[in-house]
Amino acid sequence: EVQLLESGGGLVQPGGSLRLSCAASGLTFSSYAMSWVRQAPGKGLEWVSCITGNGGNTNYAGSVKGRFTISRDNSRDTLYLQLNSLRAEDTAVYYCAKDRNYGEDAFDMWGQGTMVTVSS
Amino acid sequence: QMTQSPSTLSASVGDRVTITCRASQSISGLLAWYQQIPGKAPNLLIYKASSLESGVPSRFSGSGSGTEFTLTISSLQPDDFATYYCQQYNSYPLTFGGGTKVEIK
């Protein structure tokens, strides 16, 4: 069974940092591009960032570019998101999501999400 | 930019429901639809505008091309009361519509 399990969320002060992790199982992790998608409380979905299967290419939403960094360790089947210079508007549930197929950024598998709260 | 309508829809079990998603420019049919139940992660229903994801009931269908797309639920079931999102994956940044909440009438 394919499973994605996020961790690393929590309460952080404005300007602080966090690192989120997403552990994958049941799939050939390195074969798939992965994304982070977030959802602020009571709001819609917002794509944050993605990374190719080999980690060679990344993309970011304008709202996080320069502050967040996506990476992956295919030897550990784990995706990461480093969140720096956090702002109140970054408060959200962060989901990791798997591309359905090579070059197809529709997400057929999602984790359960990890909550990030930015507040003093 | 993806614009969904309506933002809220009230319907009864058995109703035929249609949700529209408009893109600000052509997205070459690279559109997905998701269902999200409160407190849960989204679930992929449709990809490439009209392809049904494995395991998704056949009452869900997608259509459209260019900049206008629709999700249709042919006969609404109790499990279908949820929020639905479209998403384009033609170009970065990937973008979602604002969502359509399907409520019980």
Side-chain angles (χ1 to χ4, degrees):
Chain A
E1 181 193 3
V2 177
Q3 199 167 12
L4 301 173
L5 188 62
E6 300 97 336
S7 60
L11 175 63
V12 61
Q13 292 188 338
S17 298
L18 274 179
R19 188 175 83 154
L20 307 184
S21 299
C22 169
S25 59
L27 73 160
T28 307
F29 182 66
S30 60
S31 294
Y32 296 97
M34 298 289 295
S35 280
W36 289 96
V37 177
R38 69 184 180 182
Q39 187 169 36
K43 301 297 184 183
L45 301 170
E46 180 187 17
W47 173 79
V48 172
S49 181
C50 68
I51 187 168
T52 52
N54 64 6
N57 275 301
T58 59
N59 281 281
Y60 296 91
S63 57
V64 307
K65 199 166 189 176
R67 301 187 299 122
F68 292 7
T69 303
I70 192 170
S71 62
R72 65 192 296 160
D73 183 344
N74 287 343
S75 69
R76 296 176 182 268
D77 291 346
T78 302
L79 175 73
Y80 302 101
L81 187 67
Q82 178 68 40
L83 290 66
N84 295 334
S85 303
L86 281 161
R87 306 166 180 165
E89 55 264 35
D90 296 319
T91 294
V93 174
Y94 285 73
Y95 296 100
C96 61
K98 166 193 162 293
D99 271 20
R100 186 182 176 280
N101 220 333
Y102 177 79
E104 183 166 22
D105 295 322
F107 307 126
D108 67 344
M109 180 61 55
W110 299 64
Q112 87 290 348
T114 188
M115 183 72 203
V116 172
T117 303
V118 184
S119 174
S120 54
Chain B
Q1 179 105 359
M2 304 301 292
T3 304
Q4 260 183 263
S5 61
S7 55
T8 306
L9 187 160
S10 295
S12 302
V13 172
D15 284 352
R16 181 181 181 88
V17 165
T18 299
I19 299 168
T20 297
C21 182
R22 287 189 176 87
S24 57
Q25 59 191 53
S26 175
I27 56 172
S28 303
L30 297 180
L31 184 100
W33 289 98
Y34 300 88
Q35 177 194 65
Q36 187 178 34
I37 293 166
K40 300 289 189 181
N43 182 49
L44 178 65
L45 300 174
I46 301 286
Y47 62 96
K48 286 183 184 173
S50 60
S51 296
L52 190 69
E53 175 68 355
S54 176
V56 174
S58 59
R59 63 180 179 272
F60 292 94
S61 64
S63 63
S65 63
T67 61
E68 187 155 336
F69 301 87
T70 59
L71 173 71
T72 299
I73 309 173
S74 60
S75 177
L76 200 64
Q77 299 301 300
D79 285 350
D80 302 338
F81 291 97
T83 300
Y84 295 84
Y85 295 93
C86 62
Q87 176 227 334
Q88 69 80 19
Y89 52 101
N90 179 62
S91 63
Y92 295 108
L94 307 182
T95 46
F96 290 88
T100 296
K101 185 175 182 180
V102 177
E103 298 180 327
I104 300 172
K105 193 172 186 179

PDB file of all heavy atoms in Angstrom, chain B residues 69-97:
ATOM      1  N   PHE B  69     -13.910  24.082 -18.434  1.00  0.00           N
ATOM      2  CA  PHE B  69     -14.002  22.678 -18.042  1.00  0.00           C
ATOM      3  C   PHE B  69     -15.150  22.489 -17.059  1.00  0.00           C
ATOM      4  O   PHE B  69     -15.514  23.418 -16.329  1.00  0.00           O
ATOM      5  CB  PHE B  69     -12.682  22.232 -17.402  1.00  0.00           C
ATOM      6  CG  PHE B  69     -11.506  22.381 -18.320  1.00  0.00           C
ATOM      7  CD1 PHE B  69     -10.817  23.590 -18.381  1.00  0.00           C
ATOM      8  CD2 PHE B  69     -11.109  21.349 -19.147  1.00  0.00           C
ATOM      9  CE1 PHE B  69      -9.738  23.752 -19.244  1.00  0.00           C
ATOM     10  CE2 PHE B  69     -10.038  21.496 -20.007  1.00  0.00           C
ATOM     11  CZ  PHE B  69      -9.353  22.704 -20.060  1.00  0.00           C
ATOM     12  N   THR B  70     -15.707  21.277 -17.054  1.00  0.00           N
ATOM     13  CA  THR B  70     -16.782  20.978 -16.126  1.00  0.00           C
ATOM     14  C   THR B  70     -16.568  19.628 -15.462  1.00  0.00           C
ATOM     15  O   THR B  70     -16.017  18.702 -16.055  1.00  0.00           O
ATOM     16  CB  THR B  70     -18.156  20.975 -16.811  1.00  0.00           C
ATOM     17  OG1 THR B  70     -18.148  20.002 -17.861  1.00  0.00           O
ATOM     18  CG2 THR B  70     -18.501  22.334 -17.370  1.00  0.00           C
ATOM     19  N   LEU B  71     -17.013  19.561 -14.217  1.00  0.00           N
ATOM     20  CA  LEU B  71     -17.119  18.310 -13.479  1.00  0.00           C
ATOM     21  C   LEU B  71     -18.605  18.059 -13.286  1.00  0.00           C
ATOM     22  O   LEU B  71     -19.324  18.952 -12.812  1.00  0.00           O
ATOM     23  CB  LEU B  71     -16.420  18.409 -12.129  1.00  0.00           C
ATOM     24  CG  LEU B  71     -16.606  17.207 -11.196  1.00  0.00           C
ATOM     25  CD1 LEU B  71     -15.842  15.993 -11.718  1.00  0.00           C
ATOM     26  CD2 LEU B  71     -16.162  17.554  -9.765  1.00  0.00           C
ATOM     27  N   THR B  72     -19.048  16.860 -13.639  1.00  0.00           N
ATOM     28  CA  THR B  72     -20.458  16.500 -13.482  1.00  0.00           C
ATOM     29  C   THR B  72     -20.572  15.283 -12.580  1.00  0.00           C
ATOM     30  O   THR B  72     -19.815  14.314 -12.719  1.00  0.00           O
ATOM     31  CB  THR B  72     -21.097  16.207 -14.849  1.00  0.00           C
ATOM     32  OG1 THR B  72     -21.016  17.372 -15.671  1.00  0.00           O
ATOM     33  CG2 THR B  72     -22.558  15.812 -14.679  1.00  0.00           C
ATOM     34  N   ILE B  73     -21.503  15.361 -11.647  1.00  0.00           N
ATOM     35  CA  ILE B  73     -21.892  14.209 -10.835  1.00  0.00           C
ATOM     36  C   ILE B  73     -23.294  13.851 -11.301  1.00  0.00           C
ATOM     37  O   ILE B  73     -24.220  14.647 -11.149  1.00  0.00           O
ATOM     38  CB  ILE B  73     -21.872  14.523  -9.339  1.00  0.00           C
ATOM     39  CG1 ILE B  73     -20.525  15.165  -8.943  1.00  0.00           C
ATOM     40  CG2 ILE B  73     -22.111  13.253  -8.528  1.00  0.00           C
ATOM     41  CD1 ILE B  73     -20.484  15.676  -7.505  1.00  0.00           C
ATOM     42  N   SER B  74     -23.444  12.665 -11.887  1.00  0.00           N
ATOM     43  CA  SER B  74     -24.701  12.345 -12.586  1.00  0.00           C
ATOM     44  C   SER B  74     -25.873  12.146 -11.631  1.00  0.00           C
ATOM     45  O   SER B  74     -27.015  12.499 -11.954  1.00  0.00           O
ATOM     46  CB  SER B  74     -24.518  11.104 -13.454  1.00  0.00           C
ATOM     47  OG  SER B  74     -24.151   9.998 -12.650  1.00  0.00           O
ATOM     48  N   SER B  75     -25.599  11.584 -10.461  1.00  0.00           N
ATOM     49  CA  SER B  75     -26.642  11.357  -9.469  1.00  0.00           C
ATOM     50  C   SER B  75     -25.992  11.449  -8.087  1.00  0.00           C
ATOM     51  O   SER B  75     -25.314  10.525  -7.654  1.00  0.00           O
ATOM     52  CB  SER B  75     -27.287   9.982  -9.671  1.00  0.00           C
ATOM     53  OG  SER B  75     -28.254   9.735  -8.672  1.00  0.00           O
ATOM     54  N   LEU B  76     -26.200  12.583  -7.447  1.00  0.00           N
ATOM     55  CA  LEU B  76     -25.490  12.895  -6.200  1.00  0.00           C
ATOM     56  C   LEU B  76     -25.812  11.868  -5.115  1.00  0.00           C
ATOM     57  O   LEU B  76     -26.987  11.528  -4.887  1.00  0.00           O
ATOM     58  CB  LEU B  76     -25.885  14.297  -5.762  1.00  0.00           C
ATOM     59  CG  LEU B  76     -24.974  15.035  -4.795  1.00  0.00           C
ATOM     60  CD1 LEU B  76     -23.603  15.296  -5.425  1.00  0.00           C
ATOM     61  CD2 LEU B  76     -25.622  16.352  -4.375  1.00  0.00           C
ATOM     62  N   GLN B  77     -24.770  11.366  -4.484  1.00  0.00           N
ATOM     63  CA  GLN B  77     -24.908  10.399  -3.390  1.00  0.00           C
ATOM     64  C   GLN B  77     -24.506  11.048  -2.063  1.00  0.00           C
ATOM     65  O   GLN B  77     -23.798  12.058  -2.054  1.00  0.00           O
ATOM     66  CB  GLN B  77     -24.059   9.170  -3.675  1.00  0.00           C
ATOM     67  CG  GLN B  77     -24.456   8.431  -4.947  1.00  0.00           C
ATOM     68  CD  GLN B  77     -25.896   7.960  -4.907  1.00  0.00           C
ATOM     69  OE1 GLN B  77     -26.283   7.186  -4.022  1.00  0.00           O
ATOM     70  NE2 GLN B  77     -26.697   8.436  -5.853  1.00  0.00           N
ATOM     71  N   PRO B  78     -24.933  10.470  -0.944  1.00  0.00           N
ATOM     72  CA  PRO B  78     -24.619  11.078   0.362  1.00  0.00           C
ATOM     73  C   PRO B  78     -23.121  11.314   0.586  1.00  0.00           C
ATOM     74  O   PRO B  78     -22.740  12.307   1.205  1.00  0.00           O
ATOM     75  CB  PRO B  78     -25.168  10.053   1.356  1.00  0.00           C
ATOM     76  CG  PRO B  78     -26.286   9.390   0.618  1.00  0.00           C
ATOM     77  CD  PRO B  78     -25.841   9.321  -0.821  1.00  0.00           C
ATOM     78  N   ASP B  79     -22.258  10.427   0.056  1.00  0.00           N
ATOM     79  CA  ASP B  79     -20.807  10.583   0.233  1.00  0.00           C
ATOM     80  C   ASP B  79     -20.226  11.730  -0.591  1.00  0.00           C
ATOM     81  O   ASP B  79     -19.051  12.069  -0.435  1.00  0.00           O
ATOM     82  CB  ASP B  79     -20.093   9.299  -0.184  1.00  0.00           C
ATOM     83  CG  ASP B  79     -20.245   8.191   0.850  1.00  0.00           C
ATOM     84  OD1 ASP B  79     -20.735   8.494   1.962  1.00  0.00           O
ATOM     85  OD2 ASP B  79     -19.897   7.046   0.546  1.00  0.00           O
ATOM     86  N   ASP B  80     -21.034  12.290  -1.487  1.00  0.00           N
ATOM     87  CA  ASP B  80     -20.523  13.308  -2.409  1.00  0.00           C
ATOM     88  C   ASP B  80     -20.612  14.719  -1.849  1.00  0.00           C
ATOM     89  O   ASP B  80     -20.131  15.663  -2.498  1.00  0.00           O
ATOM     90  CB  ASP B  80     -21.277  13.245  -3.739  1.00  0.00           C
ATOM     91  CG  ASP B  80     -21.177  11.894  -4.413  1.00  0.00           C
ATOM     92  OD1 ASP B  80     -20.218  11.142  -4.096  1.00  0.00           O
ATOM     93  OD2 ASP B  80     -22.045  11.575  -5.240  1.00  0.00           O
ATOM     94  N   PHE B  81     -21.223  14.890  -0.692  1.00  0.00           N
ATOM     95  CA  PHE B  81     -21.292  16.227  -0.105  1.00  0.00           C
ATOM     96  C   PHE B  81     -19.905  16.552   0.452  1.00  0.00           C
ATOM     97  O   PHE B  81     -19.447  15.979   1.440  1.00  0.00           O
ATOM     98  CB  PHE B  81     -22.394  16.295   0.957  1.00  0.00           C
ATOM     99  CG  PHE B  81     -23.765  16.190   0.350  1.00  0.00           C
ATOM    100  CD1 PHE B  81     -24.432  14.976   0.313  1.00  0.00           C
ATOM    101  CD2 PHE B  81     -24.374  17.291  -0.224  1.00  0.00           C
ATOM    102  CE1 PHE B  81     -25.680  14.867  -0.277  1.00  0.00           C
ATOM    103  CE2 PHE B  81     -25.622  17.196  -0.819  1.00  0.00           C
ATOM    104  CZ  PHE B  81     -26.276  15.972  -0.847  1.00  0.00           C
ATOM    105  N   ALA B  82     -19.232  17.469  -0.233  1.00  0.00           N
ATOM    106  CA  ALA B  82     -17.811  17.744  -0.006  1.00  0.00           C
ATOM    107  C   ALA B  82     -17.460  19.018  -0.766  1.00  0.00           C
ATOM    108  O   ALA B  82     -18.336  19.656  -1.361  1.00  0.00           O
ATOM    109  CB  ALA B  82     -16.966  16.579  -0.521  1.00  0.00           C
ATOM    110  N   THR B  83     -16.182  19.374  -0.739  1.00  0.00           N
ATOM    111  CA  THR B  83     -15.702  20.501  -1.527  1.00  0.00           C
ATOM    112  C   THR B  83     -14.870  19.968  -2.690  1.00  0.00           C
ATOM    113  O   THR B  83     -14.070  19.045  -2.511  1.00  0.00           O
ATOM    114  CB  THR B  83     -14.875  21.463  -0.663  1.00  0.00           C
ATOM    115  OG1 THR B  83     -15.705  21.958   0.393  1.00  0.00           O
ATOM    116  CG2 THR B  83     -14.382  22.646  -1.486  1.00  0.00           C
ATOM    117  N   TYR B  84     -15.067  20.554  -3.853  1.00  0.00           N
ATOM    118  CA  TYR B  84     -14.399  20.111  -5.072  1.00  0.00           C
ATOM    119  C   TYR B  84     -13.479  21.218  -5.593  1.00  0.00           C
ATOM    120  O   TYR B  84     -13.851  22.393  -5.594  1.00  0.00           O
ATOM    121  CB  TYR B  84     -15.439  19.730  -6.130  1.00  0.00           C
ATOM    122  CG  TYR B  84     -16.241  18.532  -5.701  1.00  0.00           C
ATOM    123  CD1 TYR B  84     -17.345  18.670  -4.863  1.00  0.00           C
ATOM    124  CD2 TYR B  84     -15.866  17.247  -6.086  1.00  0.00           C
ATOM    125  CE1 TYR B  84     -18.054  17.567  -4.425  1.00  0.00           C
ATOM    126  CE2 TYR B  84     -16.573  16.137  -5.666  1.00  0.00           C
ATOM    127  CZ  TYR B  84     -17.658  16.307  -4.830  1.00  0.00           C
ATOM    128  OH  TYR B  84     -18.360  15.208  -4.392  1.00  0.00           O
ATOM    129  N   TYR B  85     -12.297  20.815  -6.022  1.00  0.00           N
ATOM    130  CA  TYR B  85     -11.303  21.758  -6.552  1.00  0.00           C
ATOM    131  C   TYR B  85     -10.836  21.311  -7.930  1.00  0.00           C
ATOM    132  O   TYR B  85     -10.611  20.120  -8.160  1.00  0.00           O
ATOM    133  CB  TYR B  85     -10.065  21.814  -5.652  1.00  0.00           C
ATOM    134  CG  TYR B  85     -10.305  22.364  -4.274  1.00  0.00           C
ATOM    135  CD1 TYR B  85     -10.593  21.524  -3.205  1.00  0.00           C
ATOM    136  CD2 TYR B  85     -10.219  23.738  -4.028  1.00  0.00           C
ATOM    137  CE1 TYR B  85     -10.804  22.031  -1.928  1.00  0.00           C
ATOM    138  CE2 TYR B  85     -10.429  24.256  -2.760  1.00  0.00           C
ATOM    139  CZ  TYR B  85     -10.722  23.393  -1.718  1.00  0.00           C
ATOM    140  OH  TYR B  85     -10.925  23.898  -0.455  1.00  0.00           O
ATOM    141  N   CYS B  86     -10.670  22.278  -8.822  1.00  0.00           N
ATOM    142  CA  CYS B  86      -9.960  22.009 -10.064  1.00  0.00           C
ATOM    143  C   CYS B  86      -8.517  22.464  -9.904  1.00  0.00           C
ATOM    144  O   CYS B  86      -8.200  23.274  -9.017  1.00  0.00           O
ATOM    145  CB  CYS B  86     -10.613  22.712 -11.251  1.00  0.00           C
ATOM    146  SG  CYS B  86     -10.667  24.524 -11.174  1.00  0.00           S
ATOM    147  N   GLN B  87      -7.641  21.934 -10.748  1.00  0.00           N
ATOM    148  CA  GLN B  87      -6.216  22.280 -10.698  1.00  0.00           C
ATOM    149  C   GLN B  87      -5.643  22.174 -12.109  1.00  0.00           C
ATOM    150  O   GLN B  87      -5.837  21.166 -12.777  1.00  0.00           O
ATOM    151  CB  GLN B  87      -5.444  21.346  -9.782  1.00  0.00           C
ATOM    152  CG  GLN B  87      -3.932  21.587  -9.739  1.00  0.00           C
ATOM    153  CD  GLN B  87      -3.131  20.291  -9.878  1.00  0.00           C
ATOM    154  OE1 GLN B  87      -3.590  19.210  -9.547  1.00  0.00           O
ATOM    155  NE2 GLN B  87      -1.897  20.399 -10.379  1.00  0.00           N
ATOM    156  N   GLN B  88      -4.940  23.209 -12.537  1.00  0.00           N
ATOM    157  CA  GLN B  88      -4.250  23.117 -13.833  1.00  0.00           C
ATOM    158  C   GLN B  88      -2.818  22.692 -13.605  1.00  0.00           C
ATOM    159  O   GLN B  88      -2.165  23.133 -12.633  1.00  0.00           O
ATOM    160  CB  GLN B  88      -4.323  24.449 -14.607  1.00  0.00           C
ATOM    161  CG  GLN B  88      -3.540  25.609 -14.040  1.00  0.00           C
ATOM    162  CD  GLN B  88      -2.042  25.580 -14.381  1.00  0.00           C
ATOM    163  OE1 GLN B  88      -1.623  24.892 -15.316  1.00  0.00           O
ATOM    164  NE2 GLN B  88      -1.235  26.314 -13.610  1.00  0.00           N
ATOM    165  N   TYR B  89      -2.311  21.844 -14.496  1.00  0.00           N
ATOM    166  CA  TYR B  89      -0.905  21.452 -14.403  1.00  0.00           C
ATOM    167  C   TYR B  89      -0.216  21.593 -15.759  1.00  0.00           C
ATOM    168  O   TYR B  89       0.711  20.861 -16.104  1.00  0.00           O
ATOM    169  CB  TYR B  89      -0.736  20.056 -13.801  1.00  0.00           C
ATOM    170  CG  TYR B  89      -1.532  18.934 -14.414  1.00  0.00           C
ATOM    171  CD1 TYR B  89      -0.943  18.052 -15.305  1.00  0.00           C
ATOM    172  CD2 TYR B  89      -2.863  18.717 -14.059  1.00  0.00           C
ATOM    173  CE1 TYR B  89      -1.652  16.984 -15.841  1.00  0.00           C
ATOM    174  CE2 TYR B  89      -3.582  17.653 -14.596  1.00  0.00           C
ATOM    175  CZ  TYR B  89      -2.978  16.789 -15.474  1.00  0.00           C
ATOM    176  OH  TYR B  89      -3.683  15.732 -16.004  1.00  0.00           O
ATOM    177  N   ASN B  90      -0.687  22.587 -16.508  1.00  0.00           N
ATOM    178  CA  ASN B  90      -0.044  22.889 -17.783  1.00  0.00           C
ATOM    179  C   ASN B  90       1.246  23.678 -17.611  1.00  0.00           C
ATOM    180  O   ASN B  90       2.192  23.522 -18.401  1.00  0.00           O
ATOM    181  CB  ASN B  90      -1.017  23.703 -18.652  1.00  0.00           C
ATOM    182  CG  ASN B  90      -0.421  24.085 -19.983  1.00  0.00           C
ATOM    183  OD1 ASN B  90      -0.073  23.232 -20.806  1.00  0.00           O
ATOM    184  ND2 ASN B  90      -0.281  25.386 -20.224  1.00  0.00           N
ATOM    185  N   SER B  91       1.290  24.510 -16.585  1.00  0.00           N
ATOM    186  CA  SER B  91       2.480  25.339 -16.405  1.00  0.00           C
ATOM    187  C   SER B  91       2.622  25.716 -14.934  1.00  0.00           C
ATOM    188  O   SER B  91       1.657  25.673 -14.158  1.00  0.00           O
ATOM    189  CB  SER B  91       2.380  26.609 -17.259  1.00  0.00           C
ATOM    190  OG  SER B  91       1.285  27.398 -16.858  1.00  0.00           O
ATOM    191  N   TYR B  92       3.844  26.110 -14.584  1.00  0.00           N
ATOM    192  CA  TYR B  92       4.104  26.552 -13.217  1.00  0.00           C
ATOM    193  C   TYR B  92       3.910  28.068 -13.116  1.00  0.00           C
ATOM    194  O   TYR B  92       4.218  28.800 -14.067  1.00  0.00           O
ATOM    195  CB  TYR B  92       5.539  26.192 -12.817  1.00  0.00           C
ATOM    196  CG  TYR B  92       5.776  24.714 -12.750  1.00  0.00           C
ATOM    197  CD1 TYR B  92       6.538  24.071 -13.712  1.00  0.00           C
ATOM    198  CD2 TYR B  92       5.206  23.947 -11.730  1.00  0.00           C
ATOM    199  CE1 TYR B  92       6.744  22.708 -13.670  1.00  0.00           C
ATOM    200  CE2 TYR B  92       5.405  22.579 -11.684  1.00  0.00           C
ATOM    201  CZ  TYR B  92       6.168  21.961 -12.656  1.00  0.00           C
ATOM    202  OH  TYR B  92       6.358  20.601 -12.609  1.00  0.00           O
ATOM    203  N   PRO B  93       3.388  28.558 -12.005  1.00  0.00           N
ATOM    204  CA  PRO B  93       3.012  27.781 -10.819  1.00  0.00           C
ATOM    205  C   PRO B  93       1.715  26.996 -11.045  1.00  0.00           C
ATOM    206  O   PRO B  93       0.797  27.486 -11.702  1.00  0.00           O
ATOM    207  CB  PRO B  93       2.797  28.851  -9.748  1.00  0.00           C
ATOM    208  CG  PRO B  93       2.378  30.053 -10.523  1.00  0.00           C
ATOM    209  CD  PRO B  93       3.143  29.997 -11.812  1.00  0.00           C
ATOM    210  N   LEU B  94       1.672  25.769 -10.527  1.00  0.00           N
ATOM    211  CA  LEU B  94       0.432  25.014 -10.550  1.00  0.00           C
ATOM    212  C   LEU B  94      -0.608  25.789  -9.750  1.00  0.00           C
ATOM    213  O   LEU B  94      -0.283  26.405  -8.725  1.00  0.00           O
ATOM    214  CB  LEU B  94       0.640  23.635  -9.921  1.00  0.00           C
ATOM    215  CG  LEU B  94       1.802  22.803 -10.494  1.00  0.00           C
ATOM    216  CD1 LEU B  94       1.849  21.438  -9.803  1.00  0.00           C
ATOM    217  CD2 LEU B  94       1.688  22.645 -11.996  1.00  0.00           C
ATOM    218  N   THR B  95      -1.845  25.780 -10.223  1.00  0.00           N
ATOM    219  CA  THR B  95      -2.862  26.578  -9.553  1.00  0.00           C
ATOM    220  C   THR B  95      -4.165  25.797  -9.398  1.00  0.00           C
ATOM    221  O   THR B  95      -4.554  25.027 -10.283  1.00  0.00           O
ATOM    222  CB  THR B  95      -3.136  27.889 -10.309  1.00  0.00           C
ATOM    223  OG1 THR B  95      -3.266  27.614 -11.713  1.00  0.00           O
ATOM    224  CG2 THR B  95      -2.008  28.883 -10.107  1.00  0.00           C
ATOM    225  N   PHE B  96      -4.814  26.049  -8.275  1.00  0.00           N
ATOM    226  CA  PHE B  96      -6.100  25.451  -7.957  1.00  0.00           C
ATOM    227  C   PHE B  96      -7.197  26.499  -8.094  1.00  0.00           C
ATOM    228  O   PHE B  96      -6.956  27.700  -7.878  1.00  0.00           O
ATOM    229  CB  PHE B  96      -6.114  24.942  -6.510  1.00  0.00           C
ATOM    230  CG  PHE B  96      -5.252  23.732  -6.264  1.00  0.00           C
ATOM    231  CD1 PHE B  96      -3.918  23.874  -5.920  1.00  0.00           C
ATOM    232  CD2 PHE B  96      -5.785  22.459  -6.353  1.00  0.00           C
ATOM    233  CE1 PHE B  96      -3.121  22.764  -5.681  1.00  0.00           C
ATOM    234  CE2 PHE B  96      -5.001  21.331  -6.116  1.00  0.00           C
ATOM    235  CZ  PHE B  96      -3.662  21.488  -5.778  1.00  0.00           C
ATOM    236  N   GLY B  97      -8.390  26.021  -8.415  1.00  0.00           N
ATOM    237  CA  GLY B  97      -9.549  26.880  -8.302  1.00  0.00           C
ATOM    238  C   GLY B  97      -9.883  27.118  -6.846  1.00  0.00           C
ATOM    239  O   GLY B  97      -9.345  26.451  -5.953  1.00  0.00           O
TER     240      GLY B  97
END
